[in-house]
Amino acid sequence: VSSSSRESLLHTYTLGSSTLQYVDDECEKDLGVYITPKLCWTSQCERIYSKASQQLGIVKRNSHFVVNKSSRRALYLSLVRSQFENCSIIWRPTNSTLSNKLERIQKRGIKWILSEENVSYSSDEVYARKCKEVNILPLFAKFDLNDLIFFHKVVYDIIPVQLPSYLSFYQGTSRLRSCHLDTLSVVSAVIPRSSQNVANSTNQSRNAFSKSFFYRTHLLWNNLPLAIRQIASQQNFKDEVTKHLWKTVLTNPDDSLDVLV
């Protein structure tokens, strides 16, 4: 795209009566999130990884005398896992490389909590079981939970945010070949397609859209049982989604699922 064409595509953003200036830097920090022109979150995830790793090291060095699992769990959640909470619905990793990298921080944290730092958690099932033992959702499931909680607030008008124009509730007609849709299912009028025959810039645009919050989360929402999606209470919805996520994470989940995440 020529520079003149690119300039014609730029939209003018304002904050009140003030026009916001475009920034030519590689990244721009906004409310603690590093945003790039292509909405690539690698830089943000790398910074989060570095900060969380430093925090975990500080906690382990300064709290070496703490042996109680509950106390270690509280320290990990408040000082390390909290690093992954800020605006995660915006920047959460959407590829396995970044997701696994961040998950390694939590594996180290779980090992410290359980005093099993010399034990291997190479198996996904073993790692999931260890997470359940200390009642901390794996990071990828926690990211899903955060997405669904925000989406629930939008659906039930708890916050002043509306669904984008391309999303709507299923009305009995859809281009999708699905028969499980109900009135609380959300369908998209725009379906991203990827092709190796189109330009890279187009692929990147479609890829960014398919992994954007509303598009990816409406798919998560539709996969929830109807009984959960019908819950209007924020806390009850969070509790039931948490139980549901544990069931998807564990091969043989316990009958009793606590809701401390």
Side-chain angles (χ1 to χ4, degrees):
V1 180
S2 64
S3 58
S4 58
S5 299
R6 184 167 177 263
E7 291 177 1
S8 65
L9 294 175
L10 295 179
H11 180 76
T12 300
Y13 293 91
T14 61
L15 183 61
S17 59
S18 302
T19 300
L20 301 180
Q21 299 298 318
Y22 276 88
V23 178
D24 295 327
D25 296 339
E26 188 72 20
C27 288
E28 178 67 12
K29 186 178 181 180
D30 186 9
L31 299 177
V33 179
Y34 288 86
I35 302 175
T36 66
K38 296 181 180 180
L39 295 180
C40 174
W41 305 111
T42 301
S43 179
Q44 169 70 10
C45 289
E46 293 289 350
R47 286 176 167 85
I48 292 292
Y49 175 86
S50 178
K51 189 172 182 180
S53 182
Q54 291 175 2
Q55 285 293 102
L56 180 58
I58 292 172
V59 169
K60 292 169 69 174
R61 286 193 301 272
N62 296 338
S63 304
H64 59 88
F65 54 88
V66 178
V67 295
N68 180 269
K69 292 180 182 178
S70 297
S71 299
R72 285 190 170 193
R73 179 183 184 277
L75 285 168
Y76 170 75
L77 289 177
S78 61
L79 299 177
V80 182
R81 234 277 286 272
S82 60
Q83 302 297 326
F84 302 106
E85 299 292 329
N86 181 46
C87 300
S88 67
I89 65 172
I90 302 297
W91 62 263
R92 67 166 293 177
T94 52
N95 64 65
S96 59
T97 300
L98 289 177
S99 182
N100 291 337
K101 185 170 185 176
L102 296 187
E103 204 78 61
R104 286 201 294 270
I105 297 290
Q106 176 145 303
K107 285 184 180 181
R108 288 163 51 193
I110 300 296
K111 287 182 179 182
W112 176 69
I113 294 172
L114 296 174
S115 299
E116 296 181 341
E117 294 176 270
N118 294 323
V119 178
S120 174
Y121 291 178
S122 57
S123 166
D124 290 340
E125 178 64 19
V126 169
Y127 171 57
R129 285 287 168 186
K130 295 298 182 179
C131 285
K132 184 64 182 72
E133 186 175 339
V134 293
N135 206 15
I136 298 177
L137 278 172
L139 270 182
F140 71 89
K142 178 59 174 173
F143 286 141
D144 284 350
L145 177 63
N146 291 346
D147 284 356
L148 287 166
I149 288 174
F150 189 86
F151 198 87
H152 173 266
K153 292 178 180 178
V154 175
V155 168
Y156 283 92
D157 296 322
I158 298 173
I159 57 176
V161 177
Q162 296 181 338
L163 290 174
S165 58
Y166 62 85
L167 292 182
S168 61
F169 289 103
Y170 181 65
Q171 300 296 327
T173 58
S174 173
R175 292 188 300 171
L176 301 177
R177 297 179 179 178
S178 303
C179 59
H180 66 280
L181 299 177
D182 50 63
T183 56
L184 273 180
S185 295
V186 176
V187 294
S188 175
V190 180
I191 301 178
R193 300 177 183 273
S194 60
S195 173
Q196 297 179 351
N197 297 323
V198 297
N200 288 336
S201 59
T202 305
N203 267 333
Q204 291 174 351
S205 176
R206 288 173 174 170
N207 188 53
F209 172 75
S210 66
K211 295 179 179 179
S212 63
F213 169 75
F214 277 109
Y215 188 84
R216 71 167 186 262
T217 311
H218 96 277
L219 301 175
L220 288 174
W221 173 266
N222 289 345
N223 285 331
L224 290 175
L226 176 61
I228 295 179
R229 285 180 281 129
Q230 289 176 325
I231 299 174
S233 166
Q234 294 182 65
Q235 187 58 52
N236 291 344
F237 176 79
K238 178 182 177 181
D239 294 348
E240 292 304 316
V241 171
T242 301
K243 293 177 183 179
H244 175 77
L245 289 173
W246 274 121
K247 290 178 181 178
T248 62
V249 167
L250 298 171
T251 303
N252 297 303
D254 299 332
D255 293 333
S256 175
L257 293 174
D258 298 327
V259 190
L260 187 58
V261 296

